[in-house]
Amino acid sequence: MTQLASPVSLTAVDAPDQPTPTPELAALYRGFEQELLVPLWTEIGDLMPAHPRSRAVPHVWRWENLLRLADRAGHLVPVGRGGERRAVALANPALGGKPYATPTLWAAIQYLMPGEDAPEHRHTQHAFRFVVEGEGVWTVVGRDPVPMRRGDFLPQAGWNWHAHHNAADRPMAWIDGLDIPFQYNAEAQFFEFGRDRISDAERGTPERSRSQRLWGHPGLRPVSAPGASPGTPLLNYRWADTDAALVDQLELEAEGHPGVVEPGHAAVRFSNPTTGGDVLPTIRAEVHRIRRGTETTPRREAGSSVYQVFDGTGTVTVGDASWRVGRGDLFVVPSWQPLSVRSEADTSDSDSGALDLFRFSDTPVFEALHLDRVQIGDTP
């Protein structure tokens, strides 16, 4: 039987903290290669760096370009079995062409033409939809039609049947976020096809879904549903409620009361009403509102984030990269890269007169593994 060449390749080098190269050391390394062994002393600099060194890099995607290409796809690519969704994923330029925004997070623009249905399926990947503009699409989760409108955040825990239908006379786009890269690399993912067509009842257009009627009352939970669920049972967090919370935080600050995370910077986190924790086991989602003229304190975290500008304009600095961003633009913050944002928004480009940012991250995974770490400014 022919022995395949070993994928392990070791070279003795004359370098600090490395053994002196000798013929005997070279022979030892050939033995390691044959038995598929790698000594720690040749790899520790890569395996155990002093701080995270993400394979991803900071990058920005312009919404107008995404929307233009998604519209072209809408006229060329059908929605149906095979592709399942007309979703176009962000590919971080440092991840070898994989459809990953970061090593753990997937982000994509999804586009549905008038009258189209995206067929039903389910998967173990946890997911959400966030709408930066438009309305007219209902996502159907567990046969419950859920309206999607500008500013709405629609989380969906893994292994729930879901489909989409566009009841409007125009196309609609939104962003999808999932933990696809995390589950793929953990070799934990499952997928299952559902029905090719949803029922007429599911193609209805209710003002509120059944989940909203049961769970969408702040501070109240139905007694008929005791216990905790790992993913939120509330399928639509409405922009009106998010906006009101951000308005109140900044007004409290103006009145001299606590409530903002730092001067001029309000933020809310979407939570699971059964636990008070994150809406999804692997994804944290937030909205940040930054008053015009405010520059946030640089912040770095173990773990990565994707941001979308919901409203307004500003300048974003991630590590050594800096961009001016506007409505719909998406950008990536890799692990342990410092982020600071300066708001340049006003009433000409923002309904709130401030810069509004939607953010999702892999923080719940890091917290569950006790690997979370944050540095604000120069303070460790």
Side-chain angles (χ1 to χ4, degrees):
M1 180 176 179
T2 303
Q3 185 172 2
L4 298 176
S6 172
V8 177
S9 178
L10 302 170
T11 303
V13 295
D14 188 5
D17 302 320
Q18 292 295 308
T20 302
T22 64
E24 292 78 12
L25 183 66
L28 175 63
Y29 282 4
R30 300 295 81 76
F32 286 163
E33 291 172 352
Q34 183 176 349
E35 295 300 325
L36 301 178
L37 302 170
V38 179
L40 177 61
W41 61 82
T42 66
E43 301 291 329
I44 191 167
D46 289 330
L47 294 177
M48 297 182 178
H51 56 77
R53 296 193 306 220
S54 180
R55 289 178 288 121
V57 295
H59 191 72
V60 64
W61 290 264
R62 301 299 182 182
W63 182 246
E64 61 181 17
N65 294 335
L66 297 179
L67 203 57
R68 172 175 52 83
L69 291 168
D71 182 65
R72 287 174 59 186
H75 291 86
L76 294 172
V77 181
V79 171
R81 293 303 182 204
E84 286 293 296
R85 302 288 187 260
R86 191 183 293 111
V88 184
L90 311 185
N92 191 286
L95 297 180
K98 290 184 180 296
Y100 300 165
T102 81
T104 55
L105 299 173
W106 161 290
I109 179 173
Q110 188 169 162
Y111 200 77
L112 206 60
M113 298 292 281
E116 282 188 327
D117 291 345
E120 185 182 64
H121 65 209
R122 65 177 177 174
H123 42 69
T124 50
Q125 292 86 353
H126 303 293
F128 71 81
R129 284 155 280 285
F130 180 72
V131 185
V132 74
E133 58 186 42
E135 61 180 66
V137 167
W138 270 253
T139 184
V140 183
V141 182
R143 307 200 177 194
D144 183 9
V146 186
M148 297 172 58
R149 301 185 178 96
R150 172 165 158 76
D152 287 357
F153 171 69
L154 301 104
Q156 174 208 298
W159 214 236
N160 281 288
W161 293 111
H162 57 286
H164 312 306
H165 73 90
N166 187 345
D169 59 0
R170 64 187 63 185
M172 183 171 163
W174 62 90
I175 67 163
D176 292 333
L178 296 92
D179 60 357
I180 290 174
F182 171 72
Q183 291 205 27
Y184 181 86
N185 289 311
E187 300 179 345
Q189 70 276 24
F190 290 86
F191 179 94
E192 188 174 337
F193 292 112
R195 298 165 296 159
D196 290 334
R197 297 181 180 277
I198 59 176
S199 67
D200 289 341
E202 293 166 82
R203 300 190 81 256
T205 56
E207 178 67 20
R208 292 185 301 151
S209 66
R210 296 193 299 275
S211 86
Q212 290 172 277
R213 293 163 63 191
L214 190 62
W215 289 97
H217 305 282
L220 302 170
R221 63 173 296 169
V223 177
S224 61
S229 61
T232 176
L234 178 58
L235 300 176
N236 188 338
Y237 293 69
R238 298 179 300 177
W239 173 248
D241 300 324
T242 305
D243 179 56
L246 295 166
V247 166
D248 281 346
Q249 285 189 21
L250 290 175
E251 287 183 350
L252 284 167
E253 180 196 23
E255 296 164 11
H257 303 296
V260 294
V261 294
E262 60 181 328
H265 179 184
V268 293
R269 181 175 301 160
F270 298 104
S271 63
N272 178 344
T274 73
T275 65
D278 287 297
V279 285
L280 297 170
T282 56
I283 294 175
R284 174 166 294 173
E286 300 171 337
V287 175
H288 294 248
R289 175 165 291 171
I290 304 167
R291 199 192 302 274
R292 176 176 173 81
T294 296
E295 184 164 357
T296 64
T297 304
R299 176 187 179 97
R300 64 174 86 208
E301 299 186 20
S304 55
S305 300
V306 178
Y307 285 78
Q308 183 172 39
V309 179
F310 178 69
D311 227 354
T313 54
T315 299
V316 173
T317 301
V318 183
D320 296 328
S322 186
W323 320 283
R324 194 168 192 275
V325 295
R327 180 184 287 193
D329 292 346
L330 294 112
F331 60 92
V332 164
V333 182
S335 183
W336 212 241
Q337 289 280 331
L339 165 70
S340 62
V341 180
R342 178 174 176 79
S343 173
E344 297 156 5
D346 59 31
T347 53
S348 68
D349 58 30
S350 170
D351 293 339
S352 67
L355 175 61
D356 290 343
L357 299 172
F358 170 77
R359 176 209 183 204
F360 72 100
S361 71
D362 52 18
T363 306
V365 176
F366 282 71
E367 289 184 345
L369 298 173
H370 301 286
L371 296 174
D372 54 309
R373 183 175 293 199
V374 176
Q375 178 178 311
I376 300 175
D378 296 327
T379 303

